[in-house]
């Protein structure tokens, strides 16, 4: 999806990231930006996106320590269910409190986008196809009308 890819590209440019990957709950790659981060170097999981923001409150991040170059994997959660993962690799630049909070908010927004796409796909799959129609004398009638008139 180009909208999600544009969001990932913008995030990489706006934050101190070497790479960012977004995957759905099945592990399918949805978007990627940057040169780091392949399957062989998948980062260790973190508890939650809130953990990233919470580190901004701890003393060790007040100096603006960079995000881990070895990466961090955060679950994408929407409506109390996991909808995917985001992997982030730091590029060595400082990541201050505001950057960490904004990045955690971005992770939340990506979660909502993926959840909305999944819900739309499920709705489309459940929607029955339109009934066949036919016309008599130029008047269109649905198949259900034909059955009723019998």
């Amino acid at each position: 999806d180009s909208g999600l890819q544009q969001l990932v590209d913008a995030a990489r440019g706006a934050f101190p990231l070497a790479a960012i990957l977004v995957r759905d709950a099945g592990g399918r790659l949805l978007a990627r930006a940057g040169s780091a981060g392949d399957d062989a170097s998948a980062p260790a999981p973190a508890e939650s996106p809130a953990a990233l923001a919470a580190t901004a409150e701890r003393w060790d991040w007040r100096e603006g320590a960079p995000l881990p170059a070895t990466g961090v994997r955060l679950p994408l959660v929407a409506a109390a269910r996991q909808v995917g993962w985001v992997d982030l690799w730091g590029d060595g630049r400082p990541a201050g409190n505001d950057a960490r909070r904004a990045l955690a908010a971005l992770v939340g927004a990506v979660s909502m986008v993926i959840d909305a796409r999944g819900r739309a796909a499920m709705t489309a799959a459940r929607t029955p196809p339109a009934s066949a129609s036919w016309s008599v004398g130029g008047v269109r009638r649905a198949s259900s009308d034909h059955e009723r008139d019998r």
Side-chain angles (χ1 to χ4, degrees), residues 78-98:
R81 66 183 183 85
Q82 186 170 344
V83 296
W85 296 96
V86 63
D87 295 341
L88 308 169
W89 286 265
D91 66 1
R93 290 183 291 157
N97 296 349
D98 291 340

Side-chain angles (χ1 to χ4, degrees), residues 11-12 16 45-47 56 67 88 102 106 111 114-115 129-130 142 145 150:
R12 179 159 179 277
E47 302 96 39
L67 295 169
L88 308 169
L106 173 76
S111 299
I114 293 172
D115 183 55
D145 293 340
R150 281 186 167 185

Side-chain angles (χ1 to χ4, degrees), residues 134 141-150:
W134 51 280
R141 299 183 64 162
S143 294
S144 58
D145 293 340
H146 174 69
E147 297 298 320
R148 185 187 61 226
D149 291 344
R150 281 186 167 185

Side-chain angles (χ1 to χ4, degrees), residues 1 21 24 35 47 53 59 81 86 103 114 126 138 144 146:
D1 176 90
L21 266 72
D24 65 14
S35 58
E47 302 96 39
W59 68 271
R81 66 183 183 85
V86 63
L103 197 50
I114 293 172
R126 286 192 304 244
S144 58
H146 174 69

Side-chain angles (χ1 to χ4, degrees), residues 39-68:
D39 289 333
S41 66
E47 302 96 39
S48 70
L52 182 67
T55 62
E57 304 301 327
R58 294 188 354 219
W59 68 271
D60 56 344
W61 296 114
R62 289 191 182 152
E63 297 301 317
L67 295 169

